[in-house]
Amino acid sequence: MKTTNILIAFLLLIVLQSCKMENTPEEYFDISALNTNLFMEFGSKDFETMQQNKNANQLIAFDEKGTFPAKSYEDHILRFKVAYLNQSIKKIEDLKPTEETKPMIDASLDLFNFVKKKYETDYIEIARLMDKKAPKETVDKAIADMEANAFPVFEAKYKKLWDLALPYAKDHGIDVKTF
């Protein structure tokens, strides 16, 4: 009898530990919506910042060992921007969806994956132009073309997420300041 009770208690402990507990409202909001702060410079402003960082020898990359100077704009995008975005996407995917949070999580993943695709395609093409020291007009045109195609989609996905996230935050007493 004693052995049976110990076995039952042990099995119950394993089951309870293997069940992921629901995330807090703040975690749902912060991970799925607030982390979109990463995209505040999406587009031309982002490339301006990268140029300033490169000029100041502060263009970085990272791997499992830490951060280090990036070899190029392309290296920075792949080993900093995309790598960090992958970490953010993983955190969103690790959220335990509920009936209430699933639409917000799905909208967040849609936005983050859209931006990731832009980083891996358009951003890389522009970075290669910058790395080859293409004429400023060529780089500016490539950025303007990307923005013309990407911004309407980006803004729609961003708006969809925040149309879900702000009421969620309000319903859960999360103070959100918008600018």
Side-chain angles (χ1 to χ4, degrees):
M1 184 74 163
K2 208 177 202 184
T3 305
T4 305
N5 289 342
I6 292 172
L7 183 59
I8 290 171
F10 181 70
L11 290 173
L12 185 59
L13 181 63
I14 290 173
V15 169
L16 288 175
Q17 285 183 346
S18 67
C19 293
K20 184 177 178 188
M21 302 308 274
E22 188 175 302
N23 299 93
T24 66
E26 289 81 7
E27 288 171 327
Y28 284 116
F29 180 79
D30 290 354
I31 293 169
S32 65
L34 193 59
N35 277 345
T36 61
N37 288 340
L38 296 170
F39 310 140
M40 296 315 296
E41 292 190 342
F42 185 72
S44 60
K45 180 68 177 144
D46 204 358
F47 286 101
E48 288 173 27
T49 300
M50 282 189 269
Q51 285 177 318
Q52 291 168 357
N53 288 342
K54 183 164 187 181
N55 292 340
N57 292 320
Q58 295 177 345
L59 200 63
I60 60 171
F62 75 89
D63 60 20
E64 63 281 347
K65 296 175 188 167
T67 60
F68 48 88
K71 295 179 271 183
S72 62
Y73 291 109
E74 182 177 1
D75 187 44
H76 171 71
I77 291 166
L78 290 173
R79 297 202 308 167
F80 181 76
K81 289 193 170 291
V82 172
Y84 191 77
L85 199 55
N86 283 333
Q87 289 178 352
S88 296
I89 290 169
K90 173 82 171 94
K91 288 178 184 177
I92 298 166
E93 291 172 340
D94 287 346
L95 291 170
K96 183 174 185 205
T98 66
E99 187 176 321
E100 180 185 26
T101 61
K102 185 171 180 5
M104 185 171 63
I105 291 169
D106 290 347
S108 181
L109 285 170
D110 188 39
L111 175 61
F112 274 77
N113 282 309
F114 173 79
V115 171
K116 179 182 173 186
K117 184 176 183 205
K118 290 294 150 193
Y119 283 173
E120 293 174 333
T121 57
D122 298 345
Y123 262 61
I124 292 297
E125 289 176 26
I126 295 165
R128 287 177 181 158
L129 291 172
M130 294 168 68
D131 287 332
K132 292 178 183 175
K133 299 186 184 350
K136 181 175 178 359
E137 299 78 27
T138 303
V139 173
D140 289 347
K141 182 177 179 340
I143 293 170
D145 290 347
M146 180 203 66
E147 288 181 339
N149 292 320
F151 271 11
V153 177
F154 173 83
E155 288 173 344
K157 291 177 183 300
Y158 187 86
K159 182 181 182 321
K160 180 180 179 182
L161 171 59
W162 281 92
D163 284 351
L164 295 164
L166 288 174
Y168 177 84
K170 184 178 179 187
D171 290 347
H172 292 278
I174 301 169
D175 186 31
V176 179
K177 304 227 185 311
T178 56
F179 302 97

